């Protein structure tokens, strides 16, 4: 079964600085999708960024970018120019044909 | 602007009561999911559906049941609520292909 591991339960970043959240996964499949979701306190879970495994180019969405290393099964999220509104739980997720598997989450704190 | 709606947003009920958590989506997605999540913790899949009249149990053993009579509607029912059911319940849906989930705002359930 596929597993998703987020080894950093908590991370902290200074406003305007850059932070990287780690994610590794285990799979024997070659075709799959990877996602990062953001869950602010008491608010809706929203999709931050998506990566298709067959694409070598790393996905980018404004201040958010990923470092996708398929051979290493690594999918880290980089947040540049961190803002106070980036404070949230971040979940890494893996999906193949079947359902999504989520990591345990990383709580990001942004210090003013 | 949410295209997937969960009601109620918060619910406090007594032990032994029967409750139904509602989830509806307006996007025409075939695939719908229910997750249980303690605040700030990982998500656990409890039920999913790939279409009308199709329902399956997820990874987490649950005493709840679901139905899928219409594409847009995927309610979750607890026949006899217990304090151990106290948690947040998240509904999600997705289309086929590379798209990720769209999540509802969740129902925070407290059983006293």
């Amino acid at each position: 079964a596929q597993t998703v591991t987020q080894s950093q339960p908590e991370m902290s970043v200074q406003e305007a600085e850059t932070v990287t959240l780690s994610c590794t996964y285990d799979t024997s499949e070659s075709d799959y999708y990877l996602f990062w979701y953001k869950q602010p306190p008491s608010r809706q879970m929203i999709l931050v960024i998506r990566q298709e495994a067959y694409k070598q180019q790393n996905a980018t969405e404004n201040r958010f970018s990923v470092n996708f290393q398929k051979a290493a099964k690594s999918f880290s999220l980089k947040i540049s120019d961190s803002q106070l509104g980036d404070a949230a739980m971040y979940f890494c997720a893996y999906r193949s044909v079947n359902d999504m598997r989520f990591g345990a989450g990383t709580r990001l704190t942004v210090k003013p | 602007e949410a295209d997937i709606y969960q009601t109620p947003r918060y619910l406090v009920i007594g032990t032994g009561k029967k409750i139904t958590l509602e989830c509806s989506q307006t996007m025409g997605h075939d695939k719908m999911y229910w997750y249980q999540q303690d605040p700030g913790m990982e998500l656990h899949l409890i039920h999913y559906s790939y279409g009308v009249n199709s329902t399956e149990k997820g990874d987490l053993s649950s005493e709840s049941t679901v139905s899928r009579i219409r594409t847009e509607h995927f309610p979750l029912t607890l026949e006899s609520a217990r304090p151990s059911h106290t948690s947040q319940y998240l509904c999600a849906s997705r289309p086929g292909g590379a798209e990720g989930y769209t999540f509802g705002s969740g129902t925070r359930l407290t059983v006293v």
Side-chain angles (χ1 to χ4, degrees):
Chain A
Q2 296 85 2
T3 58
V4 179
T5 302
Q6 292 180 249
S7 59
Q8 306 153 316
E10 296 184 355
M11 290 285 285
S12 179
V13 63
Q14 204 72 31
E15 194 175 6
E17 297 295 312
T18 295
V19 65
T20 298
L21 308 184
S22 300
C23 175
T24 59
Y25 57 94
D26 182 27
T27 184
S28 58
E29 302 188 20
S30 59
D31 190 19
Y32 50 88
Y33 308 98
L34 297 164
F35 305 85
W36 277 98
Y37 283 88
K38 171 185 178 181
Q39 187 180 38
S42 300
R43 292 182 63 187
Q44 194 168 358
M45 182 101 71
I46 58 173
L47 178 65
V48 174
I49 199 165
R50 177 184 72 211
Q51 175 82 41
E52 289 93 334
Y54 65 87
K55 290 186 177 178
Q56 293 185 338
Q57 187 173 4
N58 289 324
T60 299
E61 289 287 343
N62 300 314
R63 297 183 296 108
F64 298 88
S65 62
V66 298
N67 183 4
F68 173 47
Q69 301 290 328
K70 191 171 184 179
K73 297 179 184 175
S74 171
F75 183 61
S76 60
L77 175 70
K78 185 172 82 171
I79 306 174
S80 303
D81 186 25
S82 296
Q83 301 175 359
L84 295 177
D86 294 334
M89 284 290 291
Y90 286 82
F91 292 93
C92 177
Y94 163 100
R95 179 169 70 80
S96 59
V97 175
N98 298 316
D99 309 299
M100 198 93 75
R101 298 282 172 171
F102 289 88
T106 296
R107 183 180 304 280
L108 178 66
T109 302
V110 181
K111 297 179 179 178
Chain B
E1 170 182 340
D3 294 310
I4 182 164
Y5 305 94
Q6 289 187 245
T7 58
R9 185 75 176 88
Y10 299 93
L11 180 62
V12 181
I13 61 167
T15 298
K17 298 293 186 183
K18 177 180 178 179
I19 57 166
T20 296
L21 309 184
E22 300 289 347
C23 176
S24 295
Q25 49 97 4
T26 59
M27 299 170 283
H29 291 170
D30 285 329
K31 299 171 176 60
M32 297 189 72
Y33 306 83
W34 277 104
Y35 285 87
Q36 185 174 342
Q37 183 194 29
D38 290 330
M41 303 296 285
E42 61 190 297
L43 285 75
H44 297 283
L45 179 66
I46 50 176
H47 293 283
Y48 61 98
S49 168
Y50 285 165
V52 171
N53 294 325
S54 155
T55 62
E56 300 288 344
K57 290 193 174 186
D59 300 326
L60 183 66
S61 175
S62 173
E63 293 154 341
S64 58
T65 58
V66 292
S67 62
R68 190 86 183 277
I69 299 173
R70 303 195 314 269
T71 298
E72 62 271 22
H73 193 214
F74 190 42
L76 176 80
T77 298
L78 283 169
E79 292 291 335
S80 179
R82 294 209 299 267
S84 61
H85 295 138
T86 294
S87 188
Q88 176 166 245
Y89 293 83
L90 295 176
C91 182
S93 72
R94 73 171 178 91
E99 298 299 317
Y101 288 2
T102 300
F103 281 89
S105 298
T107 293
R108 187 152 292 178
L109 174 66
T110 302
V111 183
V112 298

